[in-house]
């Protein structure tokens, strides 16, 4: 990764679900880096440590090269020196079968949770009342719906969440989508009482409003959910999330930078990052369609349907349901 070693000039750092201003890409000695602190034997955060000999590759006479240090931790980096922004991705791995933690999910530990990824730019927004009904119906079994909006503008999501009693979160920076490798909505992930994956990314609906487009049965989906909540039958032996490729991870960082640039009115620079993201992950509709509203493009309009045709012609699936209960024996 190329990034000037200058320490002058403010840079915006996009990391861990937030943004902050830093003086430059070199962090002065004695200052923590991404939550890690320099100890005599290396860089440590809690019980975890990076040995000094490994960290030496990121250290300079002036301080620690932020991007190089992040990459040592397995975190991808996308930087735009001309625009003064750096985005740092999530760590590459969690423990096998573990649901990547985030604040809203951790609050529900001890019960079963359906993570329902949706967006106002998807017809799945009309499923929210049905998910709310399931949340209320099955709450007595220790179950909760946690809906996660992928809207880049939180205001686009809020009108659809009015009256919701289930926990909600708006993933405006795409961090949770990155953690769970969500490439389109609706996507649903089941998490058990111990914070482990019971069912990985699945295209699942709660109504048949768009069955003519997606071919999915909400009746089968809801029946499967009830079996899991009440009887513990997740209906699949797959207990790990579908892992992202390196290109998918990098595409999401370009999208994060693009969203930041669009909000700042830097359209031309944002389009460059969007083109790169589309080339790296052409199938990722959470990026390509999800950023249309920030670009002033109708996500239900001609550009979206042209995108669908492009993907279908290339044999790229729009929806990716797991194969078990989606199969119709008729």
């Amino acid at each position: 990764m190329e990034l000037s070693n200058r320490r002058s000039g403010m840079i915006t750092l996009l990391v861990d679900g937030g943004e902050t201003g830093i003086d430059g890409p070199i962090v002065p000695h004695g200052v923590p880096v991404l939550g890690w602190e320099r100890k005599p034997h290396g860089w440590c955060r809690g019980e975890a440590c990076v040995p000094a000999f490994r960290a030496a590759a990121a250290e300079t006479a002036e301080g620690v090269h932020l991007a190089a240090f992040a990459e040592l931790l397995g975190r991808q980096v996308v930087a735009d020196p001309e625009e003064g922004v750096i985005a740092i991705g999530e760590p590459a791995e969690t423990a096998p079968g573990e649901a990547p933690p985030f604040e809203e999910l951790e609050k529900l530990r001890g019960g079963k949770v359906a993570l329902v990824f949706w967006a106002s730019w998807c017809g799945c927004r009309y499923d929210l009342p049905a998910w709310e009904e399931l949340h209320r119906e099955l709450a007595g079994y220790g179950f909760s719906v946690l809906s996660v909006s992928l809207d880049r503008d939180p205001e686009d999501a809020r009108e659809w969440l009015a009256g919701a009693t289930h926990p909600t979160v708006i993933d405006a920076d795409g961090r949770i989508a990155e953690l769970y490798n969500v490439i389109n909505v609706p996507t649903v992930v089941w998490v058990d009482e111990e914070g482990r994956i019971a069912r990985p990314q699945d295209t699942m609906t709660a109504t048949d409003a768009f069955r003519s487009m997606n071919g999915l049965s909400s009746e089968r989906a809801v029946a499967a959910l009830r079996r899991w909540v009440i009887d513990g039958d997740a209906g699949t032996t797959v207990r790990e999330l579908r892992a992202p490729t390196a290109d998918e991870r990098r595409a999401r960082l370009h999208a994060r930078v693009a969203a930041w640039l669009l909000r700042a009115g830097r359209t031309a620079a944002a389009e460059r990052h969007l083109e790169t993201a589309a080339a790296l992950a052409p199938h990722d509709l959470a990026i390509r369609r999800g950023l249309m509203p920030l670009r002033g493009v109708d996500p239900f309009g001609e550009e979206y349907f042209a995108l669908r045709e492009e993907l279908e012609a290339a044999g790229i699936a729009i929806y990716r349901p797991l194969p078990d209960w989606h199969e119709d024996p008729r």
Side-chain angles (χ1 to χ4, degrees):
M1 110 134 350
E2 295 182 0
L3 188 64
S4 168
N5 281 339
R6 67 180 174 83
R7 286 184 52 194
S8 60
M10 187 67 72
I11 290 176
T12 297
L13 177 63
L14 309 176
V15 65
D16 296 333
E19 63 178 74
T20 187
I22 57 175
D23 290 334
I26 303 296
V27 180
H29 290 300
V31 177
V33 181
L34 301 176
W36 296 71
E37 296 186 21
R38 188 69 163 91
K39 305 289 184 181
H41 56 288
W43 286 83
C44 300
R45 186 179 64 181
E47 299 296 321
C49 289
V50 176
F53 74 88
R54 284 191 57 209
E59 296 178 325
T60 72
E62 292 182 306
V64 180
H65 195 286
L66 175 63
F69 187 79
E71 289 170 346
L72 280 176
L73 302 175
R75 305 181 72 166
Q76 288 202 1
V77 180
V78 165
D80 189 328
E82 293 182 3
E83 300 297 330
V85 59
I86 302 173
I88 296 179
E90 301 302 314
E93 298 179 355
T94 56
E98 178 183 333
F102 57 96
E103 181 181 357
E104 293 82 3
L105 179 61
E106 289 298 285
K107 292 176 181 178
L108 300 173
R109 179 66 66 87
K112 291 185 172 74
V113 180
L115 290 178
V116 178
F117 292 89
W118 69 284
S120 70
W121 43 261
C122 169
C124 55
R125 62 191 182 181
Y126 295 111
D127 275 12
L128 285 175
W131 285 113
E132 171 71 13
E133 288 179 14
L134 285 166
H135 170 77
R136 296 185 184 189
E137 172 195 337
L138 298 173
Y141 293 94
F143 168 78
S144 178
V145 167
L146 170 52
S147 65
V148 181
S149 164
L150 301 195
D151 284 285
R152 297 287 180 163
D153 183 345
E155 290 305 315
D156 290 342
R158 288 193 177 109
E159 66 174 297
W160 299 96
L161 296 173
T165 65
H166 68 268
T168 67
V169 60
I170 300 173
D171 186 29
D173 69 344
R175 177 173 179 256
I176 302 173
E178 180 182 347
L179 286 170
Y180 282 82
N181 191 24
V182 175
I183 59 177
N184 196 11
V185 287
T187 291
V188 180
V189 176
W190 298 355
V191 180
D192 71 15
E193 297 90 337
E194 297 178 354
R196 299 184 64 81
I197 300 297
R199 187 178 186 90
Q201 305 100 319
D202 194 5
T203 304
M204 180 176 176
T205 60
T207 74
D208 285 338
F210 293 91
R211 189 170 182 175
S212 62
M213 294 182 67
N214 57 41
L216 303 175
S217 167
S218 64
E219 181 180 358
R220 288 174 172 271
V222 171
L225 179 68
R226 288 195 178 102
R227 283 196 300 273
W228 174 57
V229 172
I230 298 171
D231 301 325
D233 176 13
T236 179
T237 59
V238 180
R239 295 289 193 274
E240 295 184 15
L241 293 171
R242 182 179 61 248
T245 65
D247 281 350
E248 286 175 321
R249 295 172 63 209
R250 186 166 293 277
R252 290 192 176 103
L253 288 185
H254 279 285
R256 190 172 301 171
V257 171
W260 182 82
L261 290 168
L262 286 167
R263 294 184 187 109
R266 305 181 203 175
T267 305
E271 291 294 336
R272 290 198 301 271
H273 285 278
L274 283 175
E275 289 173 5
T276 301
L280 289 167
H283 57 284
D284 194 327
L285 285 161
I287 293 174
R288 300 184 67 186
R289 188 184 187 190
L291 284 170
M292 287 181 184
L294 283 185
R295 295 169 54 223
V297 174
D298 181 0
F300 296 94
E302 292 183 3
E303 186 168 325
Y304 168 60
F305 285 99
L307 174 58
R308 282 181 65 103
E309 290 180 6
E310 170 198 323
L311 298 181
E312 290 169 355
I316 296 174
I318 302 293
Y319 305 107
R320 303 190 181 204
L322 294 180
D324 50 8
W325 51 264
H326 286 294
E327 296 177 345
D328 192 333
R330 296 175 297 177

